[in-house]
Amino acid sequence: MTGHGAEPPAAHWPGGARIAVQIVLNYEEGGENNILHGDAASEAFLSEIVGAAAWPGQRHWNMESIYEYGARAGFWRLHRMLADLPVTVYGVATALARAPEQVAAMQDAGWEIASHGLKWIEYKDAPEDVERADMIAAISLHKEVTGTPPRGWYTGRCSVNTVRLAAETGQFAYVADSYADDLPYWVEIGRHDQLIVPYTLDANDMRFATPQGFNAGAQFLDYLKASFDTLYREGGRMMSIGLHCRLIGRPGRAEALRQFIDYAQAHDGVWFATRAQIADHWTAQHPHQRFARPSQMGRDAFVAAYGGVFEHSPWIAAGAHGLELGPAHDTAIGLHNALCRVFRSAGDDARLAVLNAHPDLAGKLAAAKRLTSDSTAEQASAGLDALTDAERAAFQAQNAAYLDRFGFPFIIAVRDHDKPSIMAAFGARLQNDRASELAEACRQVERIALHRLRGMLPR
């Protein structure tokens, strides 16, 4: 749920482009549910027929003719309009096999043909072995029809197993069965590092065929322009546009697409690209790097790795491991939150013990070189390892005054400070009452922990 975070990685699109525009043409006509294809019923999805329902054991002539329009007329209208642009086709393998002239036209235009599965059918209830077998068959048929295996995969009407099954083939430069981001991202599935190039259901002509969707081409155009404007202003983003031959291929809608393309091309710094080009670029610019993820560690390994984040208090890491840890806790901020939950929910005596586990600043333990490696580095970052005799005496006097007043050592996240600001904090905090200072000391302990975690985790 964290994704790329507050500051997404720089895309570095080719030529310094501000935005990558990716047009997908779904080619499904001839791969939809039809008893002629051995299916149990007719198609009922994404058509002009309001409230369409599957007809078990029957052909649905009207539905078939709507899909046929996409192949006979819509495709060619879109091909004429888009032939000079990079386009990715999500091709249903059985539909491609029934469309040799359209496939030849796609290839003549230099379009990428990715796989859209074996058939345009629902997989949410499909047994895993059935879906896997269909995926293998789709790859094989795709290669027969186009001459090359697909580099990208998108099922669309997928199951919870789809992305994993696609990754396990080791076949794909990217998988698109996600709507989770405006940029590509990596997932780890077993030994496979799979790039996800997310797709879209909002900037998508399918909303002409859904309730609360687009009623006219102007609405689609306005939505595409607004999406483009936001992403262009932000910079370094990807805009996906989803099209279907039988939907956007209708004359009253195709004009909206043409006007949007003119609008986007009138801007500087726009990179029209296939999804394969985006995948290759992202892989080169942001190759995946594996690391030991806290959320996947066993208890002993977790405590060994993070037990010292709160000084000499491994019980905090042990408690955090028992929480619901997931990918959101594989970052410094995420893991910090889990550890702090345990610290904050502990009793007063336990939290006070954590405070007392911290060494004095520039104290006897530092002089004897008996600090933990983290504390040593932290004190050195503020120059506390190179004090003059006068400075050391001043620190020791303040340490003693603070301990005498509050009963626990002075704690401050020294990585946020230098020597003068630390001394100023000593003076200011000595004026606090004990309850206020206890709360401040606990905040500083948490701040120290965050600094330590940022040095341990990639992000």
Side-chain angles (χ1 to χ4, degrees), residues 41-158:
S42 62
E43 186 56 71
F45 194 50
L46 291 186
S47 78
E48 308 291 339
I49 302 173
V50 177
W55 292 1
Q58 297 183 58
R59 294 177 63 184
H60 192 318
W61 184 262
N62 291 343
M63 181 66 72
E64 289 180 22
S65 69
I66 287 172
Y67 271 75
E68 190 175 354
Y69 181 92
R72 292 172 59 99
F75 171 82
W76 298 109
R77 177 171 289 117
L78 297 172
H79 181 265
R80 290 189 291 271
M81 183 187 300
L82 303 174
D84 294 332
L85 288 174
V87 170
T88 292
V89 176
Y90 286 166
V92 173
T94 50
L96 296 176
R98 297 181 175 112
E101 292 193 25
Q102 290 90 336
V103 169
M106 296 171 194
Q107 294 177 322
D108 288 344
W111 293 351
E112 175 203 2
I113 308 178
S115 183
H116 197 3
L118 181 65
K119 300 170 70 171
W120 179 229
I121 59 175
E122 182 65 72
Y123 280 94
K124 69 180 180 66
D125 298 320
E128 182 177 329
D129 59 335
V130 171
E131 186 174 5
R132 181 185 292 107
D134 280 3
M135 193 173 287
I136 293 170
I139 295 169
S140 177
L141 181 56
H142 187 106
K143 184 177 180 180
E144 288 179 16
V145 172
T146 69
T148 57
R151 298 192 64 222
W153 179 272
Y154 176 73
T155 294
R157 297 159 82 171
C158 65

Side-chain angles (χ1 to χ4, degrees), residues 327-375:
H329 301 97
D330 292 337
T331 67
I333 290 176
L335 184 54
H336 181 254
N337 182 267
L339 294 168
C340 286
R341 285 175 58 188
V342 177
F343 176 61
R344 293 166 186 167
S345 63
D348 291 344
D349 289 345
R351 286 186 291 119
L352 186 59
V354 175
L355 301 188
N356 283 314
H358 281 260
D360 289 335
L361 293 182
K364 294 179 180 179
L365 290 178
K369 300 186 183 302
R370 291 173 56 196
L371 299 179
T372 65
S373 59
D374 284 329
S375 291

Side-chain angles (χ1 to χ4, degrees), residues 213-228:
F214 304 123
N215 292 323
Q219 294 175 341
F220 187 47
L221 173 61
D222 286 348
Y223 193 86
L224 293 182
K225 289 170 68 175
S227 299
F228 177 92

